[in-house]
C-alpha cells in the first residue's frame, strides 16, 4: 500500500505540468490550424493570428509553477494531498487550454473578415484564461498547506 | 465535437447575405483548391450532393420525375454524413412541395405525384391533402403560403428569392451545429452556389437559356 501512495504522490506532483502541456498542445493546435487557414484569406496582420494561436500555451507555464510549488520530499502524509491537488489542477489546466484553443479558433475565424471585432472576439478566450488563473492561484494557495 | 476542418473553414471567406452581395468573395477555382483539404470520402459525398440538390446542378438535369427519384436514391445510398443527408432530404422535400403547388395550379390532380412517390416522405401527405391550400404543411414549412402567393402571381423572381432565403437560413443553422466540421464546409459550398446563382441573374441571358430549353425539348420529342 505504501508504494502505491507514494506513486500517487509522484503522479500528483507531475500532473499539473503534464496535463497542462497536453491541454496546451491541443489548444495551440486548434487555434494554430485556424490561424493557418486565415493566413490564406488575409493580406496582412499574420502575426496577430499566430499570436492568438499561442494563447493556450499559458496553461503549461501555470502547470510548471504548480509543479514547482508542490515539489517536496514525498511522504505517506503528504502524498495523498499532492495527488488530489496536482491531479485536479492538471485537469483544470488541460480542459481550459483545450477550450481556449476552440475559443481562439472561433475568434480567428470571425475576425479575419471583420478586423474591428478582433479584440472583442477574444473575450471568450480571455474568460477561459480567467478560470485557468483561478485554478492556478488556488492550487498555489492550497499547496502551502500540504505538509513538507 | 469533432472539428476536423478548422484550417479549411478558416480559409474560407465570409459570405454576405446573397441579396446584399455585389460580387462573389471567392471564385470556383479557388474554392476547389481549398476543398482539396477535404477528406476523400467527404469530398465525394459533397460532389454527389451538389449534383443532386445544388441550386445550379452541375450534372445534366433529370428529364423526368422518375429519373430524378432514381438519381436521388442512388446518391443517397452513397451519402453517409447524417447532416448532409438531412439537407438533401430538406431540398427534395422543398422541390416536391413546389412541384405539387405548380401541378395543382396547372389543374392537375394528386395522381400526378405518383412518379415521385418514393422521393419524399411528404408525397402521400400532399396527395392526401391536395385540396388544402398549403397541403396542411404550413406548420412544418411556413414558406409554403408565401410561395403559393408568388406562384399565383407568376412572380418567378420573388419565388426564387424566397426559396434561396429558406435554404440559406437552413444552411446557416447547419453550419452553426458544427462550426469547424463537415457541416460548416458543405453549408458554405451550397451557400456559395446560391450566391453565384443570385449574382448570375440576368434577364437577357435568361431569355436565351429559355430558348435553349425549348429547343432541347423540341429536339427530344
Amino acid at each position: 500500500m505504501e508504494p502505491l501512495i507514494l506513486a500517487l504522490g509522484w503522479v500528483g506532483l507531475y500532473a499539473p505540468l503534464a496535463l497542462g502541456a497536453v491541454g496546451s498542445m491541443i489548444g495551440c493546435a486548434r487555434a494554430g490550424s485556424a490561424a493557418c487557414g486565415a493566413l490564406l484569406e488575409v493580406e496582412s496582420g499574420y502575426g496577430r493570428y499566430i499570436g492568438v494561436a499561442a494563447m493556450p500555451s499559458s496553461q503549461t507555464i501555470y502547470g510548471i509553477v504548480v509543479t514547482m510549488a508542490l515539489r517536496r520530499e514525498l511522504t505517506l502524509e503528504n502524498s495523498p494531498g499532492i495527488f488530489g491537488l496536482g491531479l485536479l489542477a492538471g485537469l483544470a489546466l488541460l480542459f481550459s487550454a483545450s477550450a481556449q484553443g476552440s475559443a481562439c479558433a472561433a475568434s480567428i475565424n470571425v475576425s479575419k473578415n471583420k478586423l474591428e471585432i478582433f479584440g472583442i472576439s477574444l473575450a471568450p478566450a480571455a474568460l477561459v484564461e480567467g478560470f485557468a488563473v483561478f485554478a492556478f492561484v488556488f492550487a498555489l494557495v492550497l499547496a502551502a498547506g500540504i505538509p513538507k | 465535437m469533432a472539428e476536423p476542418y478548422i484550417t479549411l473553414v478558416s480559409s474560407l471567406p465570409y459570405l454576405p447575405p446573397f441579396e446584399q452581395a455585389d460580387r462573389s468573395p471567392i471564385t470556383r477555382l479557388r474554392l476547389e483548391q481549398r476543398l482539396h483539404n477535404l477528406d476523400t470520402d467527404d469530398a465525394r459525398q459533397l460532389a454527389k450532393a451538389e449534383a443532386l440538390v445544388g441550386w445550379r446542378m452541375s450534372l445534366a438535369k433529370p428529364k423526368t420525375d422518375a429519373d430524378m427519384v432514381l438519381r436521388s436514391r442512388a446518391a443517397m445510398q452513397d451519402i453517409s454524413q447524417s447532416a448532409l443527408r438531412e439537407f438533401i432530404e430538406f431540398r427534395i422535400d422543398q422541390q416536391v412541395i413546389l412541384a405539387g403547388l405548380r401541378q395543382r395550379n396547372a389543374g392537375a390532380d394528386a395522381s400526378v405525384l405518383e412518379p415521385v412517390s418514393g422521393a419524399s416522405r411528404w408525397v402521400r401527405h400532399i396527395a392526401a391533402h391536395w385540396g388544402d391550400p398549403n397541403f396542411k404543411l404550413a406548420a412544418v414549412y411556413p414558406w409554403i403560403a408565401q410561395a403559393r402567393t408568388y406562384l399565383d402571381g407568376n412572380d418567378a423572381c420573388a419565388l426564387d428569392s424566397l426559396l434561396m432565403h429558406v435554404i440559406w437560413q437552413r444552411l446557416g443553422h447547419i453550419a452553426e451545429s458544427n462550426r469547424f466540421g463537415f457541416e460548416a464546409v458543405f453549408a458554405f459550398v451550397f451557400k456559395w452556389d446560391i450566391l453565384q446563382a443570385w449574382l448570375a441573374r440576368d434577364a437577357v441571358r435568361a431569355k436565351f437559356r429559355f430558348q435553349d430549353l425549348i429547343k432541347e425539348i423540341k429536339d427530344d420529342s
Side-chain angles (χ1 to χ4, degrees):
Chain A
M1 193 67 182
E2 288 176 11
L4 176 65
I5 292 171
L6 290 173
L8 290 177
W10 279 107
V11 170
L13 186 59
Y14 197 59
L17 174 50
L19 296 179
V22 170
S24 292
M25 290 169 206
I26 296 169
C28 287
R30 271 187 191 156
S33 299
C36 288
L39 295 186
L40 287 172
E41 243 332 273
V42 297
E43 301 296 330
S44 60
Y46 304 132
R48 179 186 302 126
Y49 298 112
I50 298 300
V52 171
M55 268 181 85
S57 52
S58 59
Q59 279 80 351
T60 300
I61 299 167
Y62 302 152
I64 292 171
V65 177
V66 174
T67 291
M68 295 308 289
L70 289 174
R71 191 176 172 212
R72 66 204 64 198
E73 190 180 339
L74 293 172
T75 64
L76 292 178
E77 284 73 38
N78 63 17
S79 287
I82 289 174
F83 173 72
L85 195 60
L87 184 67
L88 291 176
L91 286 173
L93 295 176
L94 188 157
F95 285 119
S96 69
S98 174
Q100 196 176 41
S102 296
C104 289
S107 165
I108 290 165
N109 188 35
V110 298
S111 63
K112 71 175 189 288
N113 298 302
K114 204 172 178 184
L115 194 56
E116 60 269 30
I117 61 167
F118 178 72
I120 194 72
S121 69
L122 280 175
L127 280 172
V128 176
E129 182 76 25
F131 291 115
V133 170
F134 283 144
F136 165 62
V137 169
F138 281 90
L140 294 183
V141 171
L142 293 175
I146 296 177
K148 291 280 182 187
Chain B
M1 186 173 284
E3 296 176 337
Y5 295 125
I6 294 181
T7 308
L8 172 55
V9 173
S10 294
S11 72
L12 299 173
Y14 168 70
L15 284 183
F18 65 92
E19 300 105 321
Q20 297 168 16
D22 51 4
R23 65 180 182 83
S24 176
I26 187 168
T27 62
R28 181 75 204 185
L29 178 65
R30 186 157 282 192
L31 179 59
E32 294 285 354
Q33 286 172 345
R34 305 274 159 91
L35 292 177
H36 280 152
N37 291 319
L38 273 175
D39 171 80
T40 314
D41 191 44
D42 287 346
R44 185 184 54 77
Q45 293 189 35
L46 178 56
K48 290 225 172 211
E50 264 193 288
L52 189 64
V53 294
W55 192 265
R56 308 165 307 152
M57 293 177 204
S58 54
L59 295 178
K61 294 197 175 193
K63 296 271 193 273
T64 64
D65 289 342
D67 185 19
M68 180 66 192
V69 173
L70 281 176
R71 187 184 287 186
S72 67
R73 279 187 183 157
M76 288 295 260
Q77 281 180 348
D78 281 345
I79 294 173
S80 59
Q81 289 276 0
S82 59
L84 188 56
R85 287 180 70 92
E86 279 173 30
F87 176 68
I88 291 170
E89 284 166 6
F90 171 79
R91 283 284 286 130
I92 291 175
D93 289 349
Q94 193 184 48
Q95 288 170 0
V96 166
I97 291 166
L98 207 61
L101 289 171
R102 283 199 170 111
Q103 293 288 0
R104 193 177 59 186
N105 267 15
D109 60 24
S111 63
V112 77
L113 292 177
E114 276 170 21
V116 294
S117 57
S120 161
R121 62 196 157 141
W122 296 114
V123 173
R124 281 186 184 174
H125 181 95
I126 291 170
H129 300 95
W130 193 250
D132 185 89
N134 303 322
F135 302 131
K136 289 204 171 173
L137 284 172
V140 188
Y141 300 108
W143 52 268
I144 295 180
Q146 193 66 44
R148 196 163 45 77
T149 310
Y150 292 142
L151 270 175
D152 292 345
N154 289 323
D155 193 347
C157 285
L159 179 63
D160 250 14
S161 172
L162 171 71
L163 296 177
M164 284 175 169
H165 189 71
V166 169
I167 299 167
W168 191 276
Q169 275 192 321
R170 179 78 172 202
L171 289 167
H173 292 310
I174 291 170
E176 279 300 306
S177 70
N178 191 357
R179 282 177 301 168
F180 292 113
F182 181 60
E183 290 84 347
V185 177
F186 83 73
F188 182 93
V189 172
F190 282 108
K191 274 185 167 183
W192 180 86
D193 188 41
I194 289 174
L195 183 62
Q196 288 297 112
W198 180 264
L199 293 172
R201 284 169 27 141
D202 183 325
V204 177
R205 281 174 59 193
K207 189 179 167 190
F208 284 121
R209 172 73 179 143
F210 182 70
Q211 286 167 347
D212 285 347
L213 286 172
I214 297 288
K215 187 173 179 297
E216 196 179 313
I217 291 167
K218 279 183 180 169
D219 289 348
D220 279 354
S221 58

